[in-house]
Amino acid sequence: MNALVFTCLLVPWLVAASARRFDQESQLIMGSVPGKDLSGYFIDHLKSRRARRALPLADEPDDSAVEAGGDTSDLPTCLLCVCLTGSVYCEEVSPDMTSVPSLPKETAYLYARFNKIKKIRAKDFSDIVTLKRIDLTGNLISEIEEGAFSKLTMLEELSLAENSLVKLPMLPTKLISFNANHNHLKTQGVKANAFKKMTNLVSLYLADNEMEAVPHIPDSVRTLHLQNNNITEVNINTFCKSNETYYLRPSLNEVRMDGNPVVLSKNPDSFTCMKVLPVGRYR
């Protein structure tokens, strides 16, 4: 009789303990993963869980690897990339990513650096009006369709550095930072007033291109990089205004023009409105 009572008490206890153990092992408990391993856990966890949740049961991807040289266009973005709340990280994607991926509607930050994206189409960002930052550094972009950024009224930071652009499309007027270093931009590909309406622009990077002239620089700009271009001339209207004697540019505190053919000392009046002289060739 005692053995029977003991068995009746033991079995429910074992079942409850097993259930508790299963529940603990199947959930992420805050603080249970060391800090150095947490990011790795989220990458694996989010890739598999979010991608599978987004698909109908019959279309769930299997665990086999994508064939080398395959196409990423048929794969869910959050299977190829790391999707966190409001941010999408698609860096050095394998197999090669050759176009801008479809983004979740709430995306605010896109990092798609060091891929093989060749073109930005007008429809790529047309539905993602929440974007605040786009970083496409280190791709193969040679063409951007006109209107590609026209609906991005909240965009503040845009990096197109290290691509193959020869001209710029119309850019969002609320940009704070724009980076097009290391492209093939020529003066005819950058309209003289391309940045004129950007009254919030603080940082403008156009270094290592093939420009022959300085475009209009908004008064709000603090950092301007134009080094390693083919600029041959500056005059009083490049940075200052010949018709305004007392015009000043107190915000502009860093101008790099080194690596250009222009000899800056030939036109000393060109910098009277500035509190710092450009870095560059003076003799």
Side-chain angles (χ1 to χ4, degrees), residues 7-8 48 115 125 149-150 154 192 194 196 203 205 211 267:
T7 301
C8 291
S48 59
N115 290 294
F125 301 117
F149 305 118
S150 62
M154 298 175 65
K196 187 174 183 178
S203 302
Y205 304 101
M211 297 171 58
N267 296 282

Side-chain angles (χ1 to χ4, degrees), residues 28-102:
L28 175 63
I29 301 172
M30 188 61 66
S32 63
V33 181
K36 64 181 181 181
D37 297 325
L38 190 58
S39 59
Y41 174 88
F42 273 120
I43 290 173
D44 295 334
H45 182 71
L46 288 167
K47 276 185 181 179
S48 59
R49 290 291 296 277
R50 289 196 176 192
R52 292 177 189 274
R53 271 206 312 269
L55 294 173
L57 184 60
D59 295 331
E60 279 196 12
D62 58 27
D63 293 327
S64 58
V66 178
E67 292 183 9
D71 188 358
T72 64
S73 61
D74 294 330
L75 295 175
T77 298
C78 293
L79 181 62
L80 293 166
C81 311
V82 179
C83 296
L84 301 175
T85 304
S87 300
V88 177
Y89 299 85
C90 303
E91 302 194 352
E92 297 183 280
V93 172
S94 180
D96 294 341
M97 177 176 285
T98 58
S99 60
V100 176
S102 299

